[in-house]
Amino acid sequence: MLTSKLFDHTILKAEATKEQVEKICKEALTYDFASVCVNSYYTPFVAEELKGSDVKVCTVIGFPLGQMSTKAKCAETEIAVADGAQEIDMVINVGALKDGLYDVVEEDIRQVKKSCGQSLLKVIIETCLLTDAEKVKACELSKKAGADFVKTSTGFSTGGAKAEDVKLMRDTVGSEMGVKASGGIHTSAEAQAMVDAGASRLGTSATIAILQG
């Protein structure tokens, strides 16, 4: 069963206008979605639009490449939280993971988590760029660093969410963490497949079409 609170209603495209973001916020309030997910420029605006509701403000960090310095990610996180972000979706340093620099990847996540304060942290591992072994490692490092969720994709790389990746991620982190599937989810059947595989949150811009079947 797909419920509204499964969804992060998302608008992350570079050309997103204030009018479009406002529309997303109004839809999120109407349908009572889990959050509205935006780039940090729009965080204060979205926080104002959603004020007094239980729809959360979600901001992406180090997006979409992840290869910013940890200091830059932390600064971006602190500003987003101060501007009203209640959830943070950060991108890992994929290159560092592929180089086997696991301490670097873990510390990157740990420092951003520290910068989140009370805000929830979701870690985007960008599954389309990783081997299965690397996906498992990224999930293990995220868990060790204290993240709240692992997330499949930015939606801006070579591929999006796949049910088999969601299952692998869920099997790795267990029941203690959330798993967010995002990127390329356009139909209710695709969304249900992600939930069946173990996703506890879905990120999509096609949210309303999915809920309406």
Side-chain angles (χ1 to χ4, degrees), residues 92 97 101-107 109-110 123 134-147 150 172 177:
I92 65 161
L97 182 78
L101 300 173
Y102 302 138
D103 289 350
V104 171
V105 177
E106 186 184 332
E107 192 58 20
I109 299 165
R110 180 173 280 110
V123 178
E134 287 166 343
K135 291 166 199 171
V136 168
K137 193 67 187 174
C139 289
E140 288 171 346
L141 293 170
S142 299
K143 189 173 184 177
K144 210 169 151 196
V150 282
T172 303
M177 286 179 77

Side-chain angles (χ1 to χ4, degrees), residues 1 30 45 49 63 78 109 140 150 163 182 201 211:
M1 176 69 180
T30 301
F45 175 69
E49 290 291 302
F63 195 85
E78 286 161 18
I109 299 165
E140 288 171 346
V150 282
S182 72
R201 194 78 71 87
L211 274 181

Side-chain angles (χ1 to χ4, degrees), residues 84-209:
Q86 297 149 301
E87 300 191 355
I88 296 293
D89 288 19
M90 74 167 283
V91 187
I92 65 161
N93 188 326
V94 180
L97 182 78
K98 288 194 156 297
D99 277 335
L101 300 173
Y102 302 138
D103 289 350
V104 171
V105 177
E106 186 184 332
E107 192 58 20
D108 190 49
I109 299 165
R110 180 173 280 110
Q111 290 303 321
V112 172
K113 175 60 181 172
K114 203 180 285 184
S115 297
C116 284
Q118 298 302 305
S119 298
L120 188 125
L121 178 64
K122 308 188 204 97
V123 178
I124 306 169
I125 67 171
E126 202 68 286
T127 47
C128 61
L129 302 179
L130 306 178
T131 65
D132 281 356
E134 287 166 343
K135 291 166 199 171
V136 168
K137 193 67 187 174
C139 289
E140 288 171 346
L141 293 170
S142 299
K143 189 173 184 177
K144 210 169 151 196
D148 302 287
F149 270 74
V150 282
K151 175 178 167 181
T152 59
S153 326
T154 61
F156 285 77
S157 189
T158 58
K162 291 181 179 174
E164 55 266 33
D165 287 335
V166 171
K167 185 182 185 311
L168 180 65
M169 291 162 73
R170 173 56 72 199
D171 289 346
T172 303
V173 301
S175 58
E176 307 96 89
M177 286 179 77
V179 175
K180 178 176 170 180
S182 72
I185 303 169
H186 299 116
T187 67
S188 51
E190 287 169 349
Q192 189 61 57
M194 299 302 168
V195 173
D196 292 344
S200 47
R201 194 78 71 87
L202 304 173
T204 175
S205 54
T207 327
I208 294 169

Side-chain angles (χ1 to χ4, degrees), residues 4-10 21 23-38 43 45-58 84-87 201 207:
S4 61
K5 284 299 187 194
L6 274 169
F7 292 93
D8 289 346
H9 201 31
T10 304
V21 175
K23 180 172 179 280
I24 290 283
C25 290
K26 283 185 166 48
E27 289 170 352
L29 291 169
T30 301
Y31 287 86
D32 193 31
F33 293 133
S35 82
V36 169
C37 188
V38 290
T43 304
F45 175 69
V46 171
E48 191 57 39
E49 290 291 302
L50 301 179
K51 199 157 92 177
S53 78
D54 71 343
V55 180
K56 304 281 193 254
V57 182
C58 176
Q86 297 149 301
E87 300 191 355
R201 194 78 71 87
T207 327

